[in-house]
Amino acid sequence: MKIISINPGHNATVGYFENGECKCIHHEEKFNNQKNYLGLPLESLKYLQKTIDFNAVDYFVFPTADVLYLTTDKKDGSFIENISRTNKLRKIYDYLEYKTKLKIIFTSLRNFVLFYLINPGAKKSLERFLLNEFQIPKEKLIFVDHHLCHCLTPFFFYGLADLQEDFLLMSMDGAGDFSFSKIYQYDHKKRIFKLIANSSFDASLGLFYSEVTKFLGMKPNEHEYKVMGLAAYVSNEKYYKAIYDKMAKIIWLDEKKLTFHSKFNLNVASLYLKENLFCERFDNVSAAIQKLTEDLVLRWIEVSMKKTGIKNIALSGGVFMNVKMNQKIVELSEIKKVYFQPSCGDDSAIIGAVAKVFLDKKVPLKPINTMYLGHYYSNSEVAEFFQKTEQAEKYKIEYFEDIEKKIAEMLASSIIIARFKGACEWGARSLCNRAILGNAKDLKTFFEVNDLIKMRDFWMPFAPTISEDWAGRYVKNWDKIKTKTYDSTKYMIMTMESTTLAKEHLRAAIHQKDKTLRPQVVSAIDNPELHKLLKYYEQLTGMGGIMNTSLNIHGYPLVATLEQVVFTMENSGLKYIAVENYLVSKR
Ligand SMILES: [Fe+2]
């Protein structure tokens, strides 16, 4: 059975799956160079079409069932937003919704408009577009509930069915198909999933966090990680307690029903924040929303486990991109096993959508367990590209049979170098196949990468990539964390406490205030060439980890094409990049 899964929304992605196995995943932003691209992943589909006969594909599935906010009528696959937040009418509606506090009436009206007036038209335009552009008949389209997709994603990715244990599959994001969070109880003996909790999107903690991000002058749905990074600079609760109390008044957890509720639709929470938090310090506001999020989510997990007696959990949805919160979840003593979906926003929801179809058709799921599923280039393609590019005379190109050794030597000499090798990692994080690497012991690396290349915010930390045999020396309680979180340690999805040795060896790749680290822990099986690089580095320096940050300029997605390599070199202070086995240096 052949399936193509498409996320035509925020963080657009496409995946191709055959008989229970994931063959590839392409993230649209890595083709069109537009970060968190919202729309139909047209370039990814066209790339896939070069190798896959769409006529032979059985189903095209979508990780959303009832709410398509967007209409596809343009030839280029971009969307017309049906309910723009900048629309004047929408602004009046939002204001009335907040001021009148008639929550039930406003939410019902909003749901009615979405379900009956917008969604049918949006679905029809999507069907029309896919038929005209790709000859995909509507009979082959399947739409799956958004939060069921989030819940099934780690189940498929980590192969949880093979563990023969009961699980709680828990999701939490901004909003999707009228919900912001669901819990499914998986009974491994009966092999059934039972929905035990569903929180409506108007009480969304994810939307609330985004509204705080907006209130702080940052980009909602994108810069939440900056708020999280800032929060760590406030170590004493007394500075943000009053703000926390004001925030806690408008959202709460019903511990019996395992659902969240709010005073008004949190989609318009910035109006409340403007009224109540005027002139509060930005770092204290960040600390308050971070602490409230941690408190509510941890309590939600605790009471869910208590109610069901199940101590294994799998978590997905954009809220679990919050790596600081994830660290606290791992520390919950009641949990036996916890699995975090890597890149758990809507980019990965396509996995859950396919899982639903395979499970319905009784096709066994093969664990995915890797992020290296994107597109790639051969050495000859790289050589040809750099010979033909208009900027060819600006660069010196040298071939190295053992490029990993060369990179390790440069890192040992504190030279910053980018690495572009193998299949591109999909998702939000760089896992070193598309990365800027640096000597993590040298704090100069931190400033050099920040000022010359990334041009990012001064308070944001970098992260380390470490070989697995060094993890116990760099991470406190490593054995316990590894046993509890299994392969989640490979994907930079949680922070950990650093040891004294890590503070010395990885000085530039830890949070500069709280000294936590968000490591990618690599074994020779996960990525043999990267592991080899780390081993060369270890031989040269006596250290087991390097600094890794995504290969991009601030505001752009991870560099994934050769054209973007040149763009990044031309528009930043980056001097060296290893592209496959070629070292490309600025003359
Ligand atoms: Fe989502």
Side-chain angles (χ1 to χ4, degrees), residues 117-184:
L117 303 183
I118 291 176
N119 196 48
K123 220 168 219 174
K124 273 198 181 112
S125 79
L126 179 65
E127 288 169 1
R128 205 163 45 233
F129 186 86
L130 292 171
L131 184 65
N132 291 341
E133 297 300 313
F134 295 98
Q135 291 72 54
I136 300 169
K138 69 175 184 184
E139 292 72 27
K140 285 191 176 184
L141 309 185
I142 297 176
F143 296 86
V144 184
D145 174 75
H146 188 71
H147 279 268
L148 175 59
C149 292
H150 275 315
C151 287
L152 288 177
T153 298
F155 186 80
F156 187 178
F157 187 87
Y158 289 113
L160 300 186
D162 299 337
L163 298 182
Q164 303 295 319
E165 289 188 73
D166 290 351
F167 266 88
L168 290 181
L169 307 173
M170 310 174 83
S171 68
M172 195 175 270
D173 66 2
D177 286 341
F178 302 112
S179 299
F180 108 89
S181 161
K182 283 189 178 177
I183 306 174
Y184 282 86

Side-chain angles (χ1 to χ4, degrees), residues 10-48:
H10 190 245
N11 267 321
T13 35
V14 170
Y16 174 63
F17 300 75
E18 228 176 85
N19 302 326
E21 189 176 356
C22 179
K23 295 290 185 185
C24 61
I25 294 179
H26 300 298
H27 203 166
E28 185 68 3
E29 65 171 28
K30 293 180 176 70
F31 283 104
N32 67 12
N33 214 18
Q34 295 176 49
K35 196 168 182 179
N36 297 327
Y37 179 71
L38 176 88
L40 195 72
L42 200 62
E43 289 192 41
S44 305
L45 278 166
K46 285 181 176 165
Y47 180 82
L48 199 60

Side-chain angles (χ1 to χ4, degrees), residues 157-347:
F157 187 87
Y158 289 113
L160 300 186
D162 299 337
L163 298 182
Q164 303 295 319
E165 289 188 73
D166 290 351
F167 266 88
L168 290 181
L169 307 173
M170 310 174 83
S171 68
M172 195 175 270
D173 66 2
D177 286 341
F178 302 112
S179 299
F180 108 89
S181 161
K182 283 189 178 177
I183 306 174
Y184 282 86
Q185 186 173 338
Y186 172 62
D187 183 327
H188 81 279
K189 285 182 185 147
K190 295 181 187 161
R191 291 182 170 264
I192 53 165
F193 302 88
K194 189 173 128 200
L195 179 67
I196 60 167
N198 177 10
S199 297
S200 170
F201 77 99
D202 51 84
S204 169
L205 186 55
L207 286 178
F208 189 20
Y209 207 115
S210 290
E211 288 288 284
V212 173
T213 306
K214 187 169 80 176
F215 174 67
L216 290 171
M218 292 183 259
K219 218 171 160 183
N221 289 327
E222 192 170 319
H223 290 163
E224 284 70 22
Y225 71 99
K226 295 187 183 185
V227 176
M228 178 191 68
L230 200 50
Y233 280 88
V234 185
S235 46
N236 194 323
E237 201 178 314
K238 71 178 181 188
Y239 296 117
Y240 62 82
K241 181 72 173 68
I243 302 171
Y244 177 101
D245 290 343
K246 282 178 185 166
M247 288 179 174
K249 266 187 195 169
I250 60 172
I251 179 169
W252 60 93
L253 170 68
D254 180 330
E255 297 196 358
K256 280 188 185 153
K257 292 181 181 164
L258 309 175
T259 51
F260 290 86
H261 302 273
S262 62
K263 212 163 182 175
F264 50 83
N265 189 332
L266 294 177
N267 201 25
V268 296
S270 57
L271 298 171
Y272 176 82
L273 300 171
K274 276 179 203 162
E275 270 181 20
N276 291 277
L277 302 184
F278 183 62
C279 279
E280 293 289 358
R281 274 181 62 112
F282 60 105
D283 48 354
N284 293 336
V285 173
S286 303
I289 187 65
Q290 178 64 23
K291 182 72 166 66
L292 180 66
T293 302
E294 290 169 4
D295 288 350
L296 285 171
V297 173
L298 263 65
R299 188 68 192 143
W300 175 63
I301 291 172
E302 278 175 329
V303 290
S304 302
M305 290 193 301
K306 201 172 172 191
K307 191 174 175 183
T308 58
I310 296 172
K311 297 189 179 302
N312 300 321
I313 58 172
L315 306 166
S316 192
V319 170
F320 295 103
M321 288 299 280
N322 192 314
V323 294
K324 306 294 282 184
M325 177 186 78
N326 293 350
Q327 177 182 351
K328 303 253 166 64
I329 293 172
V330 176
E331 287 165 2
L332 281 175
S333 58
E334 300 92 327
I335 293 178
K336 186 180 159 203
K337 285 179 188 163
V338 51
Y339 291 77
F340 296 96
Q341 173 61 36
S343 207
C344 49
D346 286 356
D347 40 342

Side-chain angles (χ1 to χ4, degrees), residues 496-546:
M496 301 174 194
E497 295 299 321
S498 58
T499 60
T500 307
L501 189 66
K503 290 181 183 81
E504 186 194 333
H505 286 186
L506 308 173
R507 182 73 183 90
I510 57 177
H511 193 287
Q512 297 305 309
K513 171 70 179 174
D514 67 12
K515 307 289 187 287
T516 56
L517 42 84
R518 177 174 55 88
Q520 174 196 5
V521 181
V522 184
S523 74
I525 298 164
D526 303 328
N527 190 332
E529 288 173 323
L530 174 61
H531 191 257
K532 189 167 80 170
L533 189 161
L534 290 169
K535 287 288 136 189
Y536 281 135
Y537 183 77
E538 182 185 332
Q539 285 164 19
L540 293 164
T541 64
M543 297 186 286
I546 56 176

Side-chain angles (χ1 to χ4, degrees), residues 484-500:
K484 212 166 174 178
T485 66
Y486 189 56
D487 281 345
S488 300
T489 55
K490 296 175 180 177
Y491 307 112
M492 294 182 152
I493 194 69
M494 62 188 126
T495 51
M496 301 174 194
E497 295 299 321
S498 58
T499 60
T500 307

